[in-house]
């Protein structure tokens, strides 16, 4: 599957938890044509790993680290440029104080870069993964330190964008339009098609209709209409989408700098008339 994707698309990336990065799989990944392997690791040490992944043991942390080192070492031995190896760390409120340790871990295992992401504030009973205001202030301070350290270690990273996401916070819909409806399309194995992973607004089924039909269909046009106004964004975030700490904020911010909040009927493509 990876080879087929790499032959047909200019940039193919694999997101994995890294527990199955054995020597044989490392060799296969290096021959697959992948441009990026991103290892999602929610912890910086075995103790955090055991707490963050209920039902596992801390020794799995060492397995992941060994797999990363096997991949980067073999890549270096073969003189391969690709794939880029990136350590990814979601920022949970339980263990955010070890963010700097993750930067050091990325460098020590030979990674090309490190990325972070805020967790979405999904509520489970009476608990939430959303940090308090004081914790968010501390997270931003730690990320600023991580930014400096990543530069020193010459690691590629997205830390500036993550800081912006925390600074804007949960009310992103009040400050920026959403342009995901003009750039992305996500297709589940069931065929369900959406513009954005945290948004459940269904555009139709790709197993039943051509993508061009879904892209230009009434559901897609309505989504584009709603996401260019504060009122529309407020409506979809209440019913369909989880817009807090939006991962598309950096690109939305850049586009907003050129377009601003555009009035209704500004242009045909903004009305969703893309045919």
């Amino acid at each position: 599957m990876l080879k087929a994707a790499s032959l047909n698309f200019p940039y193919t990336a694999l997101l994995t938890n890294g527990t199955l990065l054995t020597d044989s799989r490392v060799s296969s990944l290096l021959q697959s044509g992948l441009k990026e392997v991103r290892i999602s690791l929610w912890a910086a040490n075995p103790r955090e790993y055991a707490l963050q992944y209920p039902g596992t043991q801390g020794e799995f942390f060492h397995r992941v680290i060994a797999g990363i080192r096997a991949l980067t070492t073999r890549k270096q031995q073969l003189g391969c440029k690709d794939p880029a190896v990136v350590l990814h760390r979601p920022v949970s409120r339980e263990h955010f104080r070890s963010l700097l340790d993750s930067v050091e871990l990325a460098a020590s295992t030979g990674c090309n870069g490190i990325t972070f992401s805020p967790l979405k504030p999904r509520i489970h009973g009476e608990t939430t993964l959303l940090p308090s205001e004081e914790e968010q202030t501390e997270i931003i301070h730690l990320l600023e330190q991580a930014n400096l350290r990543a530069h020193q270690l010459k690691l590629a990273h997205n830390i500036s964008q993550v800081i912006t996401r925390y600074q804007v916070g949960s009310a992103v819909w009040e400050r920026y339009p959403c342009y995901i409806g003009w750039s992305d399309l996500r297709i589940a194995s069931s065929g369900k098609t959406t513009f954005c992973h945290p948004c459940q607004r269904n555009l139709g089924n790709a197993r039943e209709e051509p993508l061009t039909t879904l892209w230009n269909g009434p559901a897609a046009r309505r989504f584009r209409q709603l996401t260019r106004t504060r009122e529309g964004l407020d409506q979809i975030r209440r019913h369909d989408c989880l817009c807090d700490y939006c991962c598309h904020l950096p690109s939305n911010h850049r586009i907003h700098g050129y377009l601003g909040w555009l009035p209704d009927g500004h242009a045909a493509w903004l009305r969703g008339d893309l045919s």
Side-chain angles (χ1 to χ4, degrees), residues 2-253:
L2 292 175
K3 287 181 179 179
S6 298
L7 286 172
N8 289 280
F9 298 97
Y11 195 95
T12 306
L14 174 69
L15 179 63
T16 172
N17 64 15
T19 55
L20 298 179
L21 284 177
T22 60
D23 288 340
S24 61
R25 291 191 177 95
V26 161
S27 298
S28 296
L29 287 177
L30 291 175
Q31 297 170 13
S32 66
L34 275 172
K35 292 295 184 181
E36 179 182 318
V37 175
R38 184 169 301 200
I39 297 96
S40 180
L41 186 59
W42 293 46
N45 56 62
R47 182 188 64 83
E48 285 184 355
Y49 192 95
L51 293 172
Q52 197 69 56
Y53 295 87
T56 65
Q57 299 176 350
E59 65 186 49
F60 276 76
F61 176 83
H62 297 296
R63 180 187 298 182
V64 174
I65 298 304
I68 297 173
R69 287 202 171 103
L71 178 58
T72 57
T73 300
R74 186 63 177 152
K75 178 184 165 186
Q76 185 178 24
Q77 290 171 345
L78 296 175
C80 300
K81 178 183 176 182
D82 297 324
V85 182
V86 179
L87 189 68
H88 180 65
R89 171 73 186 268
V91 183
S92 68
R93 71 176 304 184
E94 293 93 344
H95 307 299
F96 67 83
R97 292 181 178 86
S98 63
L99 295 182
L100 279 168
D101 294 336
S102 288
V103 176
E104 301 293 341
L105 192 61
S108 67
T109 53
C111 290
N112 302 100
I114 184 166
T115 57
F116 295 97
S117 64
L119 289 181
K120 295 289 186 179
R122 298 186 185 278
I123 297 175
H124 305 282
E126 296 181 356
T127 63
T128 177
L129 298 175
L130 182 64
S132 65
E133 289 187 12
E134 293 78 11
E135 289 170 332
Q136 288 189 63
T137 299
E138 187 175 354
I139 288 171
I140 290 172
H141 178 66
L142 289 171
L143 287 171
E144 289 171 343
Q145 295 180 54
N147 194 3
L148 292 173
R149 185 58 179 151
H151 279 297
Q152 292 172 349
L153 296 169
K154 299 184 179 350
L155 289 170
H157 63 86
N158 68 339
I159 300 174
S160 296
Q161 293 95 322
V162 177
I163 291 173
T164 300
R165 289 171 66 184
Y166 273 111
Q167 290 172 335
V168 173
S170 60
V172 58
W173 62 277
E174 293 182 338
R175 296 183 58 178
Y176 299 101
C178 175
Y179 300 97
I180 193 69
W182 287 273
S183 64
D184 281 40
L185 202 63
R186 295 176 181 254
I187 306 170
S189 58
S190 64
K192 179 182 177 180
T193 305
T194 61
F195 280 126
C196 181
H197 176 64
C199 185
Q200 296 303 309
R201 201 174 184 91
N202 192 6
L203 306 177
N205 194 297
R207 291 179 177 270
E208 300 170 359
E209 298 179 90
L211 288 181
T212 51
T213 301
L214 299 178
W215 182 264
N216 292 290
R221 293 168 187 257
R222 180 57 179 161
F223 182 90
R224 296 184 186 107
Q225 290 173 343
L226 290 171
T227 54
R228 75 174 194 268
T229 67
R230 290 186 181 91
E231 295 77 11
L233 285 168
D234 186 29
Q235 178 180 328
I236 64 170
R237 79 178 183 89
R238 290 177 183 274
H239 301 286
D240 302 302
C241 300
L242 186 60
C243 298
D244 303 42
Y245 302 91
C246 176
C247 59
H248 301 290
L249 175 61
S251 58
N252 286 338
H253 170 73

